[in-house]
């Protein structure tokens, strides 16, 4: 069992940066691949980034590639989403998710545990 809690959301201006951490509780964090998803108002939840258990395999959505970075600190049971050069279209609720698979995937259905989400609003 893994419990996830995002923090660090807020209001930022376009072209600024924001780091969103997700703290995990439970003994199995190191055995989980991790993912970030987001849901904009009126839209479906979409994939943002994913990282394997070891951190050696990473995927990004095309819309954030080159601007966002996922990382994990297994000693702190935390996964991070560093967001640079933010755009108004990045405005959404951001969720972290965990899966017992070795490699995280872009598929929502592959994830077993979800956080409550944190709101990120980017103004133009």
């Amino acid at each position: 069992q893994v419990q996830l809690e995002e923090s660090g959301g807020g209001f930022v201006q376009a072209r600024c940066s924001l780091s969103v951490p997700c703290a995990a509780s439970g003994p199995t964090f190191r055995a989980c691949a991790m993912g970030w998803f987001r849901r904009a108002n009126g839209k479906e939840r979409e994939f943002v980034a994913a990282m394997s258990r070891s951190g050696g395999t990473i995927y990004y959505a095309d819309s954030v590639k080159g601007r966002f970075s996922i990382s994990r600190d297994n000693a702190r049971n935390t996964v991070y989403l560093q967001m640079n050069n933010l755009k108004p279209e990045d405005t959404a609720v951001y969720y972290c998710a965990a899966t017992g698979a070795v490699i995280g995937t872009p598929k929502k259905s592959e994830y077993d545990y979800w956080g409550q989400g944190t709101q990120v609003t980017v103004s133009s």
Side-chain angles (χ1 to χ4, degrees), residues 58-116:
I58 295 174
Y59 298 112
Y60 293 103
D62 288 343
S63 59
V64 306
K65 202 171 292 183
R67 300 188 298 121
F68 288 15
S69 177
I70 185 173
S71 62
R72 65 189 296 162
D73 184 342
N74 285 343
R76 296 177 183 271
N77 278 14
T78 302
V79 61
Y80 302 91
L81 185 66
Q82 174 67 40
M83 302 181 284
N84 298 325
N85 191 22
L86 281 159
K87 303 176 180 180
E89 51 264 42
D90 294 318
T91 295
V93 177
Y94 283 75
Y95 301 88
C96 68
T99 171
V102 174
I103 297 177
T105 79
K107 296 181 179 180
K108 296 188 291 288
S109 60
E110 297 287 330
Y111 291 83
D112 306 300
Y113 306 103
W114 292 84
Q116 293 299 306

Side-chain angles (χ1 to χ4, degrees), residues 16 19 23 25 29 34 36 39 51 68 74-75 102 109 114 124:
C16 287
S19 180
S25 62
F29 175 76
M34 301 298 296
W36 283 97
R39 185 176 63 200
M51 171 175 274
F68 288 15
N74 285 343
V102 174
S109 60
W114 292 84
S124 57

